[in-house]
Amino acid sequence: MFQPSDSLPVSQLYERYRDFELVVDSRLVGQADTSLFFALAGERRDGHGFIAHLIGLGVRNFVVASAQYGQYLNEIREAEELVVNGSGPEPVNLVVVEYPMHVLQQLAAHHRRQFDIPVVAITGSNGKTIVKDWLVQLLSAEFGVCGSPRSYNSLIGVPLSVWQLKKSHEMAVFEVGISQPGDMDTLWGIIRPTCGVLTTIGTAHLSNFASVGELIQEKLRLFQGADWVLLPETLKSLTSAIESLPSPAKVYTWSGNGRTGLRVDNLHLELSFPELPDVYLDNARSAAAAARMLHLELRYLTAGVSRLLPLKNRLEQRTGRDGGPIINDSYSNDFSALAAALEFAENQDPFGCLTLILGTVQPIPGLATKLATLLKGRVDRLLLVGPANEKLRLDFPGKRLYPSVDALTRDLHTLSFHGETVLIKGASYEHFDQIADLLSRQLHRTTLEVNLAAIRQNLRLYRQQLPPSCKLVVMAKASAYGSGALPVAQLLQDAGVDYLAVAYPEEGKELRSGGITLPIMVLNAEAYSYPLLVDYRLEPVVHQPEQLRLATSLHLPVHIELDTGMGRLGFLPSEFRQLVIPPADEVGQAFVSLFTHLAASEDPGHDAFTRQQLAQFDHAYDDYLARAGSPVLRHALNTNGISRFPQAAYDMVRLGIGLYGIGDEGLKLHLQPVLTLTTTVTSITTRPAGATVGYGRLGRIGEESRIAVLSIGYADGLPRSAGGGRFAVRINGHLAPTIGAICMDMCMVDVTYLPEIQVGDHAIIFGPDHPVELLASAAKTIPYEILTGIGQRVHRIYLGE
Ligand SMILES: *Cc1c(COP(=O)(O)O)cnc(C)c1O
């Protein structure tokens, strides 16, 4: 039987565990016997609950919280008895401490002090990750550099990054984010940067801070004691604040415009940057200037800068030629990114059979063993691609090795992927896209790009509008407004929203089957579907007394909707008053929330009506409270409600379309566009005067015209009513109007005055520079209908963060 050991001084723990891997995520365990698992109690998952499982995998060392581990003691003991027999492997060690996270941080801080090398800390509101990645890329031409994986920039991510420091490193670059006052001192203590880079200052996370000033002050504390800090010239005004820090750093600035030239302090450098969008250019300048400050030789800098590419950072899902999903993920190629991609693929896998096509994984100590553990039991077939994998001694039964992408593509026609989900995971420079193309039912044709970073940003913005205690339900109905329920739900779960809502039980089932654990309310569940709700832990909205009775007998938690003027579902306030609501039972049945839905929250012309709805709702709630005595969650606001009637936020709000950066009059200017629908030009022909175009000969050609065919039709979601010149697509920055009727799978546009347009060009149906409202109004409808009408066969591409 194991002995919990009381907390040891950090130095002793360090001696004992310095060669161990620190793990906080049970899915990322590599070499089990040298892993030290920290049981962190998160908001949604308690790490202690994974200990028994990890013991089964061979993990023996755990840091646990004194207040929590007792609850799990029985299952831990049982797990231990199962594995520790007479001849037994190592016994289980529980290091019992007050706060495991603090110990994680202290160990990392201790580790940091063993190194006397330049350590760069990068912070700022935007661009941290890309500046960090580019700086590491530039410096690596000359130095051994340790960089944070992905965007490991939090109170947990930073210690894990710092722990990766090895003797062979000559420099380190760590990314730092803060969301709460006080975080920075902790992070500073772990990193102790010798130099700093500030990217931008914006208003993200501002709601948690008293003022912009406080946020900036907090960020700048990261730089105390550093030798120097680098900022863009535009933030020069922060100099005095930095110079008044306890032990002040020297401030340097950079400036530059366009694609050539960069001034760092007073030095002018002749550099030529690749063609990048403007925001990226500033990030590239920031990384280049920092590399220069770190004495990267000029020839490496010049060569490196010209090769900077926006990291593709995207995950694409399509239907494969053999029927199963093909997931192509070119997010960063480190081990943790692979683990995340695998989890995603497992969740999307309808067959329980997964093939992994794997390119180069960033080398780390013990990679082969870690990979073997990660893939075991999850991946059914493994195809390894590329020279780096030839040397990797990976133990995986039946694995196949291809020396290059070409070698695999030559062989693809001999392989079958029936009844399988395929995950393709290569570094962006490896060009695995052609594998995905060959395995797909169709090539890139029409795609809906979903920018997950923008969703996260919009979510933050809405949170800032709301009081901190106000809970957030996100509406994930209709495939999350067309953008794909699971990927969006996973992001929302990760971002800590409180609830999801769907319209029908099947939608909830799909989310559950995909690994979503958040509570899910179902707006419109008929009584016969209630057993399904029980199976999938879904919570019905009830509108009839019979539903309430049935829910009670099945111990289902319920939400009650009041109809205060929407005229759709819900009890009238008078009916609600008569309703007998059973008290909560021990098994789970409870009346969780009372809500109403606003009929016209976006329309000032109906504000009087909206206020009347809210007044009725208040009244009904007060009345309920007087009757029942114990409060329930109360909610009324949808997107426009949140921005236009913030005083009625109550305990919770229900965010829908605004998450996608659309449809919110109040916050329009601050939201980021999330969705881009593009298609391709498949043919261009010149038609003589008098010819007609398309069905019903509706398109008439007055003078000789160039007509382009696009691969999108009403089956893909381009409404037929957008034909006949009522709508224009955007091609290479120009508008091309539709001509004739939209067909089922194609449409025609007039490009007579756009001679430079060619077959293969992309046409934007809507996107950041071509708002969806244009299409919606041309088709005499609203953006909601456009989004949810995007066809199933349109590829969804998820841009990462
Ligand atoms: C769809 C829906 C919402 C969200 O509406 P948006 O206008 O998209 O924000 C909120 N509540 C209910 C009951 C809904 O059906």
Side-chain angles (χ1 to χ4, degrees):
M1 188 61 61
F2 65 82
Q3 280 306 314
S5 54
D6 276 328
S7 53
L8 294 170
V10 168
S11 57
Q12 272 183 43
L13 279 179
Y14 184 75
E15 284 315 312
R16 195 196 290 176
Y17 291 117
R18 62 186 305 163
D19 297 323
F20 275 57
E21 191 97 36
L22 307 188
V23 187
V24 299
D25 180 338
S26 61
R27 295 159 303 180
L28 294 184
V29 170
Q31 182 81 33
D33 54 353
T34 52
S35 289
L36 176 60
F37 181 79
F38 288 77
L40 303 182
E43 260 174 51
R44 292 171 304 282
R45 286 180 214 167
D46 182 353
H48 296 86
F50 294 98
I51 295 178
H53 167 70
L54 289 170
I55 291 175
L57 292 181
V59 179
R60 291 293 171 265
N61 292 278
F62 302 88
V63 180
V64 299
S66 46
Q68 258 107 28
Y69 83 103
Q71 280 168 264
Y72 298 89
L73 214 52
N74 284 341
E75 62 177 73
I76 297 175
R77 290 222 158 98
E78 277 165 28
E80 191 189 24
E81 272 160 30
L82 277 180
V83 294
V84 182
N85 48 35
S87 58
E90 287 271 300
V92 172
N93 290 309
L94 296 187
V95 180
V96 182
V97 302
E98 197 172 352
Y99 299 113
M101 184 161 83
H102 291 178
V103 175
L104 172 70
Q105 292 163 348
Q106 287 160 0
L107 277 175
H110 199 87
H111 185 58
R112 159 69 183 94
R113 273 178 250 133
Q114 319 301 312
F115 296 86
D116 186 16
I117 55 174
V119 172
V120 188
I122 300 183
T123 197
S125 309
N126 290 309
K128 298 186 280 291
T129 304
I130 194 154
V131 172
K132 179 259 301 173
D133 282 339
W134 278 347
L135 179 58
V136 171
Q137 186 181 327
L138 291 171
L139 292 172
S140 298
E142 193 180 343
F143 307 105
V145 187
C146 174
S148 323
R150 291 199 283 169
S151 36
Y152 274 27
N153 63 26
S154 65
L155 291 172
I156 297 167
V158 166
L160 295 178
S161 303
V162 167
W163 193 255
Q164 302 207 337
L165 268 171
K166 295 279 167 326
K167 286 256 147 41
S168 56
H169 290 134
E170 297 163 277
M171 285 184 188
V173 182
F174 298 124
E175 178 185 331
V176 183
I178 53 166
S179 48
Q180 296 291 333
D183 287 359
M184 197 51 99
D185 291 327
T186 310
L187 295 171
W188 177 83
I190 301 169
I191 300 180
R192 300 203 177 228
T194 62
C195 23
V197 174
L198 184 64
T199 56
T200 52
I201 290 279
T203 50
H205 298 300
L206 205 56
S207 60
N208 291 335
F209 293 87
S211 65
V212 187
E214 189 194 327
L215 175 67
I216 294 175
Q217 283 299 334
E218 176 91 1
K219 287 202 176 187
L220 296 184
R221 282 224 289 281
L222 178 62
F223 303 131
Q224 55 192 303
D227 300 330
W228 52 260
V229 174
L230 180 70
L231 354 142
E233 176 86 4
T234 47
L235 295 180
K236 204 179 162 74
S237 58
L238 297 176
T239 306
S240 60
I242 294 175
E243 285 175 351
S244 61
L245 287 168
S247 37
K250 179 148 177 40
V251 175
Y252 294 91
T253 60
W254 59 262
S255 59
N257 265 317
R259 287 181 42 215
T260 52
L262 171 68
R263 179 172 288 279
V264 188
D265 198 24
N266 285 320
L267 184 73
H268 182 83
L269 297 172
E270 275 309 320
L271 293 176
S272 97
F273 292 94
E275 235 173 273
L276 295 166
D278 280 350
V279 276
Y280 283 114
L281 270 179
D282 270 350
N283 292 329
R285 280 190 273 269
S286 189
R292 184 62 199 156
M293 293 290 302
L294 290 158
H295 309 294
L296 178 67
E297 260 188 56
L298 203 51
R299 62 192 168 109
Y300 291 125
L301 185 61
T302 318
V305 159
S306 70
R307 281 197 297 265
L308 295 179
L309 287 176
L311 301 182
K312 267 185 48 213
N313 224 17
R314 57 192 236 160
L315 187 147
E316 185 179 308
Q317 187 170 356
R318 339 183 190 174
T319 304
R321 63 167 199 213
D322 296 337
I326 304 291
I327 299 163
N328 180 19
D329 178 5
S330 49
Y331 275 22
S332 50
N333 64 331
D334 61 60
F335 182 76
S336 63
L338 172 63
L342 257 183
E343 187 184 351
F344 181 83
E346 281 182 297
N347 289 336
Q348 300 286 327
D349 177 11
F351 311 112
C353 183
L354 184 66
T355 289
L356 170 65
I357 300 180
L358 182 65
T360 309
V361 182
Q362 251 175 48
I364 43 169
L367 179 61
T369 336
K370 291 188 77 166
L371 278 176
T373 321
L374 178 70
L375 306 187
K376 194 172 156 202
R378 310 172 95 179
V379 170
D380 300 277
R381 176 160 56 154
L382 178 64
L383 310 180
L384 292 166
V385 184
N389 283 329
E390 288 187 58
K391 282 176 250 135
L392 193 69
R393 292 242 193 82
L394 173 60
D395 175 23
F396 191 96
K399 70 177 182 195
R400 293 180 64 167
L401 199 68
Y402 297 89
S404 65
V405 172
D406 282 346
L408 173 60
T409 51
R410 276 196 299 275
D411 243 27
L412 271 186
H413 67 280
T414 66
L415 301 169
S416 159
F417 298 92
H418 277 286
E420 291 177 23
T421 296
V422 182
L423 170 64
I424 303 171
K425 181 91 187 88
S428 42
Y429 59 82
E430 293 180 302
H431 303 297
F432 274 35
D433 292 356
Q434 44 175 307
I435 304 176
D437 283 345
L438 287 169
L439 285 181
S440 297
R441 187 163 276 173
Q442 307 151 331
L443 301 188
H444 271 288
R445 207 178 48 86
T446 298
T447 59
L448 178 70
E449 215 174 74
V450 183
N451 184 337
L452 298 178
I455 291 190
R456 221 180 253 273
Q457 196 68 34
N458 293 339
L459 191 64
R460 251 184 233 136
L461 187 75
Y462 279 103
R463 280 223 173 99
Q464 286 168 16
Q465 310 302 309
L466 297 164
S469 62
C470 183
K471 292 182 191 291
L472 190 63
V473 187
V474 175
M475 311 306 291
K477 56 193 182 188
S479 285
Y481 291 57
S483 57
L486 254 193
V488 173
Q490 269 163 359
L491 178 154
L492 296 170
Q493 175 161 301
D494 185 50
V497 313
D498 301 281
Y499 252 97
L500 296 178
V502 294
Y504 295 102
E506 296 72 29
E507 296 178 318
K509 175 180 165 186
E510 188 192 333
L511 293 176
R512 278 284 176 263
S513 311
I516 299 299
T517 54
L518 284 176
I520 299 173
M521 73 177 71
V522 184
L523 298 175
N524 192 0
E526 289 173 75
Y528 70 81
S529 70
Y530 278 25
L532 184 78
L533 304 188
V534 174
D535 290 347
Y536 291 94
R537 289 181 298 109
L538 307 172
E539 304 174 8
V541 170
V542 305
H543 316 103
Q544 291 147 12
E546 305 85 78
Q547 289 178 322
L548 183 58
R549 276 194 287 278
L550 184 62
T552 308
S553 70
L554 293 168
H555 310 290
L556 282 167
V558 298
H559 304 266
I560 295 181
E561 179 167 4
L562 287 189
D563 187 352
T564 57
M566 174 68 187
R568 189 170 68 177
L569 292 172
F571 293 95
L572 295 172
S574 56
E575 297 168 334
F576 176 63
R577 238 161 255 140
Q578 328 256 291
L579 194 68
V580 181
I581 300 172
D585 68 22
E586 310 82 67
V587 200
Q589 198 282 328
F591 171 23
V592 182
S593 83
L594 181 70
F595 74 93
T596 195
H597 192 34
L598 301 175
S601 61
E602 70 291 345
D603 187 349
H606 290 296
D607 280 357
F609 184 80
T610 302
R611 277 193 287 272
Q612 205 176 312
Q613 279 197 281
L614 291 170
Q616 274 198 49
F617 181 55
D618 282 343
H619 193 202
Y621 182 81
D622 292 343
D623 191 58
Y624 166 77
L625 207 56
R627 265 192 297 154
S630 60
V632 294
L633 296 173
R634 192 166 35 145
H635 47 116
L637 303 181
N638 63 349
T639 298
N640 278 283
I642 298 172
S643 58
R644 301 195 59 245
F645 297 89
Q647 72 282 4
Y650 306 114
D651 308 308
M652 196 147 97
V653 298
R654 301 185 307 272
L655 178 63
I657 197 146
L659 187 66
Y660 307 95
I662 298 167
D664 187 337
E665 287 308 310
L667 289 171
K668 195 148 86 185
L669 296 176
H670 306 282
L671 288 167
Q672 299 202 1
V674 168
L675 301 167
T676 307
L677 181 63
T678 48
T679 186
T680 44
V681 176
T682 46
S683 111
I684 298 178
T685 17
T686 302
R687 306 279 174 192
T692 63
V693 173
Y695 287 120
R697 305 186 59 211
L698 290 175
R700 303 200 167 262
I701 291 183
E703 53 180 300
E704 188 181 84
S705 302
R706 276 177 94 222
I707 303 299
V709 179
L710 306 182
S711 318
I712 186 171
Y714 54 78
D716 301 294
L718 182 64
R720 192 164 176 283
S721 46
R726 283 177 291 270
F727 173 68
V729 303
R730 199 175 154 110
I731 311 181
N732 299 342
H734 302 287
L735 294 179
T738 55
I739 177 166
I742 309 272
C743 315
M744 186 187 293
D745 315 290
M746 286 167 250
C747 71
M748 279 68 89
V749 294
D750 187 342
V751 294
T752 309
Y753 299 105
L754 306 172
E756 76 285 7
I757 286 171
Q758 297 168 2
V759 169
D761 282 352
H762 290 292
I764 298 174
I765 311 301
F766 58 79
D769 300 322
H770 199 44
V772 66
E773 285 83 355
L774 293 173
L775 176 56
S777 75
K780 298 210 163 28
T781 180
I782 51 174
Y784 296 75
E785 188 178 347
I786 300 290
L787 298 187
T788 54
I790 297 169
Q792 276 311 308
R793 69 182 179 192
V794 171
H795 302 144
R796 265 67 173 176
I797 293 183
Y798 300 95
L799 298 188
E801 300 155 72

